[in-house]
Amino acid sequence: MLSGWAAAPARFREDANAEEDAALGGYRDRLVIELAQNAADAVTATGDSGGGRLLLRLDGEQLTAANTGRPLDADGVQALATLRASAKRDDRGSVGRFGVGFAAVLAVTDEPVVASRTGAVGWSAARTREEVGQVPALAEELARRDGQVPVLRLPYPSDAEPPPGFDTVVVLPLRAGTRRVAERLLDEVDAGLLLMLPALAEVAVEVDGVRRTFRAADLDVRSVEATGRLDPQLLADRPTEERAARQWWVRWAAPLPAGTLPVLHAPTPTDEPLDLPALLLGSFPLAPDRRHVAPGPLRDFLVQRAADAYAELVAGVTGPDAVLALVPGPVGAGPLDAELRRAIVERLADAPVLPGGRRPGDAVAVDGLPEAAYPTLAEVLPGLLPPQWAGRRELDRLGVRRMRLADLVDDLAALDRPPSWWHGLYEGLAGAEREALSGLPVPLADGRLVRGPRGVVLDAAPELAALGLRVVHPQAAHPLLERLGALPGRPEVLLDLPAVRAAVAASVDADDPEPVAVAVLGLVADGAVRPGERPWLAELAVRDDEGGWSAAGELLLPDAPLAQVLTPDALGVVDPAWADRFGATALAAVGCLSTFALVVDVDLPLTAPDHDLDAEDEWADDLLDDLLDDLPEQDVPPVVGEFVAVRDLDLVDPDRWPQALPLLAGDPALRAAVVTPVRLRLADGRSVDRPSYTGWWLGRYARLDGQPPSRLRAPGSDPALGALLAEAPDLGLDADFLAAIGMATRLTDVVAAPMLLPLVRAGSRPDPGLRPDGDGSERPVPGVAARVLAGAPATFREHDDLRVAGVPCDWWVDDDATVHAATVEGLARGLAWAVDRWECRLLLAAVLAEPDRVDELLAEAAWDG
């Protein structure tokens, strides 16, 4: 080497510069890596596939690296002493390729030694400098370089030996000030070194007696490797020795071991950042500084092969956390990283990396899908991912199609599945958000599949479909449906549905009313509906005894007591077979009659009664007239808060009232309709009570012995009534009931004022609003009257023939307190009534008849107390 430098000093300068560049440039921080790489190559050269050991020891001012494997030979020494001429160019499994890695030792030493079982060799900057200084042709260049010489070009024999258990050792006496560098580089050693160099099974790092040991067996990573032969065209732009290396390889290890630099390893760390969740190693072409990947077709080829291997790595793991943690993010840490990400995502999109070997392009993720529903839906939705995958954003980068649960639910309407399958689906979806399930299909008992549970009926007999109800198939029924708006099949719920009311209303006119009638009667029986509870049920078509159909409210139950009091054929009769089939209780609940029925209404304006009741308008007019007499005129008509009336009274046989009235009085509900007054709400907020419609009607239109009750007196009533009214037959009716139907029990029940007695005796209606038929002549009241009645009117109207409504009367008092009289006794009674002193009428008559005896008569009256 010295002779060569002497013959060509420029060669000396070139070697010195190259060695300095390697030590201080691209290899300045790669001392430990290069020592480990050489150790791995030594193991590989023996054919051992992963059993190598490396000991890195820093003791005082000396760093040593002992390894197992093939010992140093002559070619190895030549490679170490020849920059850029690697002895490993034909070794397909070696890591080193350029022959410059050993120059990294010059970062800390000027006196390196390599000792093997086969011999030892060393180098020395001092000895080389001494020998170069003796060559005249190099003296000027040496001076110009301030004594800096190529260290690794002149090897010297050494007597060093490797430690026991190792085949080779590199001994590096540290140059002053470099121990801190060596410490830092050793501190950075971690388990990642074993992934970079799989030929090593163990790496031990010892600093001043403190040892850390890393073993390949302890690594918890999964790795995938791919290798193959290179097409020579890919190597066309590479250096000569690289063109001879025809083998390519890439290796991924995941997860990225803690502390491992997130960079490309080719195979040792480069400066190419890779922010991926795995470590990439490979035979990427490097620039001369070994820190960056060289551009060109080989780089592009290996990027694609790395992407292929990465997809294989992902396909080998399971579970959303493990798989999706390996999906690259959208932003690369550098050009190479970005290119790798694009290639990887392209591969993953078409790789079987999802559950069941699905490819992302064939998969669908449903947001909000409960875990329990997955097995059922996976049967009908190819590519459906388990719910624990659905919320992961990494799926979007893989191109997985997303669906909302609500959209999936809508799509289910196209399925043809048995009801039991739907029940299983409902069980699985029980924990989902209600809003997403509003369109959930529901199989019905009639074989249809309807969209949405709202309004369908659960746990109901199939025959209820005749009512327009959508009855859920019993094998599909599930509590989830009720939470989503399905109706429970309880009769009290179903009977209040508009569809049921509509079916009842239309039943009489239907071509075949029987399905509706049977369904409704079943609900009524199951729900224990009471008669009159739902009056509209009276419109239900029920089979009658003539083989036809009639509204229930127009039919009598067989042997109904009511049938004994009505005129013949007034109402039809329920078919006896139907009575046996459904029972009197259910038929009565739908309005079939065993006794009188009630009409019930609320908030009824008195001016608009419309219940098809006999003389209903007349009753309302009488109440309004009565109110106008007693109360100021109201701007708003009175309202009946609760209107309860007995219907069909006009159908009673006139000769059967002695039986009909006890029927009414004996039923508490019917009796209440008779005796309870109606309460009228007035516009000014007050309330007044007036006779009920039923009591009013009975008083006028019922007949006992040919007379209305209002023209009869009660049995055992005041004998004073005997001269006015005939006594009614004793039917065992209570006094309140008799009074409510207008039957008199006291004289005052008939005559509200004594002046009405002549009218009552004559059979005229005793109406206080009547006036005398003529005006009479105005006359002064005798002054003596004032001795008896203080405040007596000053005048009265004298009549020769006083008549009211054509009936002769002795006296009358108008509403304005005007007294009319035809006799002295009549004048006395009129004056006494006018000033509300009725008890004075007889004394006043005596005084008016004998004015001269006034003092005597008054004295006698004093004894009356």
Side-chain angles (χ1 to χ4, degrees):
M1 181 59 69
L2 280 175
S3 59
W5 286 344
R11 172 69 181 278
F12 170 76
R13 183 172 69 250
E14 179 181 303
D15 286 349
N17 288 340
E19 192 175 270
E20 184 179 30
D21 288 344
L24 302 181
Y27 286 75
R28 62 185 181 276
D29 290 328
R30 295 184 174 270
L31 170 62
V32 171
I33 295 297
E34 294 299 336
L35 293 174
Q37 175 180 298
N38 287 335
D41 289 343
V43 174
T44 300
T46 66
D48 191 340
S49 60
R53 294 182 294 113
L54 170 65
L55 170 63
L56 297 168
R57 174 180 291 160
L58 178 60
D59 187 6
E61 298 300 318
Q62 180 171 290
L63 174 65
T64 60
N67 64 269
T68 60
R70 189 172 68 181
L72 187 67
D73 56 16
D75 289 340
V77 173
Q78 180 181 2
L80 295 176
T82 307
L83 190 66
R84 299 186 187 278
S86 174
K88 308 169 191 176
R89 65 182 180 180
D90 296 325
D91 190 344
R92 297 293 183 258
S94 68
V95 178
R97 285 171 286 163
F98 300 119
V100 296
F102 190 69
V105 302
L106 299 180
V108 297
T109 187
D110 292 332
E111 307 288 333
V113 173
V114 177
S116 287
R117 290 183 287 101
T118 55
V121 63
W123 293 265
S124 170
R127 291 183 62 178
T128 300
R129 188 179 302 108
E130 180 181 352
E131 293 190 23
V132 169
Q134 297 175 4
V135 178
L138 301 177
E140 181 180 356
E141 182 62 27
L142 182 63
R144 185 176 296 174
R145 303 186 66 85
D146 294 327
Q148 191 268 330
V149 295
V151 176
L152 299 180
R153 294 300 175 267
L154 298 180
Y156 301 100
S158 172
D159 57 1
E161 295 182 354
F166 293 91
D167 297 312
T168 302
V169 65
V170 178
V171 182
L172 305 177
L174 299 179
R175 192 167 51 244
T178 62
R179 178 183 164 94
R180 184 171 298 176
V181 174
E183 286 182 3
R184 175 176 62 82
L185 296 176
L186 291 177
D187 286 344
E188 294 175 354
V189 173
D190 58 22
L193 189 64
L194 297 172
L195 294 173
M196 304 174 203
L197 305 169
L200 299 179
E202 177 182 291
V203 174
V205 178
E206 184 179 303
V207 178
D208 296 333
V210 179
R211 176 174 291 197
R212 294 180 296 138
T213 302
F214 305 97
R215 296 180 177 86
D218 296 334
L219 290 178
D220 186 16
V221 297
R222 183 179 184 278
S223 63
V224 169
E225 183 172 5
T227 186
R229 298 287 291 175
L230 286 170
D231 186 327
Q233 293 184 358
L234 297 174
L235 298 167
D237 62 343
R238 303 306 299 156
T240 301
E241 292 195 4
E242 280 192 62
R243 290 200 297 272
R246 298 288 299 278
Q247 195 79 8
W248 66 268
W249 64 275
V250 292
R251 181 185 306 120
W252 288 99
L256 186 71
T260 304
L261 292 175
V263 297
L264 171 69
H265 291 63
T268 54
T270 68
D271 286 345
E272 296 285 358
L274 293 182
D275 188 18
L276 291 166
L279 176 66
L280 173 60
L281 306 96
S283 56
F284 283 81
L286 298 178
D289 63 2
R290 295 199 65 175
R291 292 189 173 273
H292 294 90
V293 175
L298 179 56
R299 169 192 180 277
D300 299 341
F301 172 80
L302 290 176
V303 165
Q304 299 302 316
R305 301 296 74 74
D308 294 337
Y310 195 93
E312 182 181 347
L313 176 74
V314 177
V317 299
T318 58
D321 291 338
V323 171
L324 299 179
L326 294 172
V327 176
V331 180
L336 179 63
D337 190 27
E339 188 173 341
L340 271 170
R341 287 169 188 267
R342 287 193 296 271
I344 287 171
V345 170
E346 288 178 1
R347 297 304 193 284
L348 293 179
D350 195 40
V353 297
L354 297 180
R358 298 181 182 88
R359 291 173 167 79
D362 300 329
V364 59
V366 178
D367 296 326
L369 179 66
E371 182 73 29
Y374 173 74
T376 303
L377 288 174
E379 298 176 14
V380 298
L381 184 60
L384 179 65
L385 292 177
Q388 62 266 33
W389 291 74
R392 304 294 292 268
R393 294 298 98 191
E394 296 91 341
L395 297 178
D396 298 333
R397 295 198 291 276
L398 297 179
V400 173
R401 180 168 63 98
R402 286 195 177 276
M403 289 184 71
R404 297 183 310 145
L405 179 57
D407 296 332
L408 171 60
V409 165
D410 286 343
D411 290 348
L412 297 178
L415 293 179
D416 182 13
R417 287 294 184 274
S420 58
W421 185 91
W422 291 101
H423 181 276
L425 176 63
Y426 302 151
E427 181 69 23
L429 291 174
E433 293 185 2
R434 291 176 55 183
E435 293 76 9
L437 304 180
S438 61
L440 192 63
V442 181
L444 302 184
D446 61 9
R448 290 181 297 156
L449 185 69
V450 297
R451 188 186 299 273
R454 183 166 297 279
V456 301
V457 179
L458 292 165
D459 303 322
E463 56 264 26
L464 293 184
L467 303 177
L469 301 180
R470 299 180 301 168
V471 179
V472 178
H473 195 288
Q475 293 181 11
H478 190 277
L480 173 66
L481 299 178
E482 186 170 350
R483 296 200 297 273
L484 296 174
L487 301 172
R490 297 192 299 272
E492 65 271 19
V493 174
L494 303 183
L495 285 172
D496 289 332
L497 295 178
V500 174
R501 296 192 65 160
V504 169
S507 61
V508 170
D509 297 325
D511 293 337
D512 182 10
E514 184 164 357
V516 171
V518 169
V520 172
L521 285 167
L523 287 176
V524 168
D526 292 342
V529 178
R530 295 186 298 273
E533 190 172 78
R534 289 177 172 82
W536 53 269
L537 287 172
E539 301 178 59
L540 179 69
V542 174
R543 185 176 291 278
D544 58 38
D545 60 356
E546 295 182 353
W549 296 88
S550 300
E554 298 175 1
L555 291 177
L556 294 167
L557 291 171
D559 301 323
L562 183 59
Q564 307 305 313
V565 301
L566 299 184
T567 58
D569 301 325
L571 295 174
V573 178
V574 175
D575 182 349
W578 272 55
D580 292 339
R581 178 179 178 185
F582 296 104
T585 300
L587 289 168
V590 299
C592 295
L593 303 174
S594 62
T595 186
F596 289 100
L598 293 174
V599 173
V600 180
D601 202 351
V602 294
D603 295 333
L604 170 68
L606 195 56
T607 55
D610 185 18
H611 302 97
D612 198 25
L613 296 171
D614 185 59
E616 183 179 16
D617 291 341
E618 184 181 349
W619 166 77
D621 290 341
D622 276 3
L623 263 59
L624 288 172
D625 291 341
D626 185 38
L627 290 174
L628 290 175
D629 290 339
D630 293 348
L631 298 169
E633 185 174 352
Q634 302 285 311
D635 294 333
V636 178
V639 173
V640 179
E642 183 179 22
F643 178 78
V644 181
V646 177
R647 69 180 181 88
D648 299 328
L649 296 174
D650 55 325
L651 301 182
V652 175
D653 187 325
D655 295 331
R656 293 289 182 173
W657 280 109
Q659 294 78 34
L661 289 175
L663 200 60
L664 290 167
D667 184 292
L670 299 176
R671 181 182 186 280
V674 176
V675 303
T676 304
V678 293
R679 176 152 294 181
L680 304 176
R681 295 199 308 266
L682 306 181
D684 58 11
R686 291 179 296 162
S687 296
V688 295
D689 291 343
R690 289 294 185 266
S692 69
Y693 161 80
T694 307
W696 175 91
W697 192 96
L698 291 172
R700 289 196 172 199
Y701 298 108
R703 290 293 183 268
L704 293 173
D705 294 337
Q707 294 292 323
S710 61
R711 295 299 180 188
L712 297 172
R713 63 185 177 91
S717 59
D718 187 346
L721 285 170
L724 301 175
L725 301 173
E727 186 175 20
D730 189 356
L731 302 178
L733 306 176
D734 65 272
D736 289 340
F737 186 87
L738 294 175
I741 64 175
M743 194 173 292
T745 59
R746 300 180 303 275
L747 184 62
T748 53
D749 293 337
V750 178
V751 185
M755 63 184 179
L756 299 176
L757 285 172
L759 278 73
V760 174
R761 284 194 292 268
S764 297
R765 185 172 179 179
D767 188 344
L770 294 174
R771 294 179 60 82
D773 295 344
D775 293 335
S777 302
E778 187 174 16
R779 295 287 187 265
V781 173
V784 72
R787 298 287 301 276
V788 178
L789 294 176
T795 64
F796 74 100
R797 309 297 293 190
E798 185 180 44
H799 293 258
D800 293 333
D801 183 15
L802 177 60
R803 290 178 180 270
V804 178
V807 177
C809 298
D810 284 343
W811 64 278
W812 192 266
V813 178
D814 290 337
D815 292 341
D816 60 0
T818 300
V819 177
H820 300 259
T823 64
V824 172
E825 291 80 1
L827 177 59
R829 284 169 170 74
L831 293 173
W833 187 259
V835 298
D836 199 19
R837 294 288 301 278
W838 183 248
E839 72 279 6
C840 297
R841 65 191 183 283
L842 298 178
L843 174 60
L844 181 57
V847 168
L848 291 175
E850 299 181 82
D852 295 339
R853 296 181 64 205
V854 62
D855 292 332
E856 178 185 352
L857 293 173
L858 288 174
E860 289 180 358
W863 294 100
D864 291 338

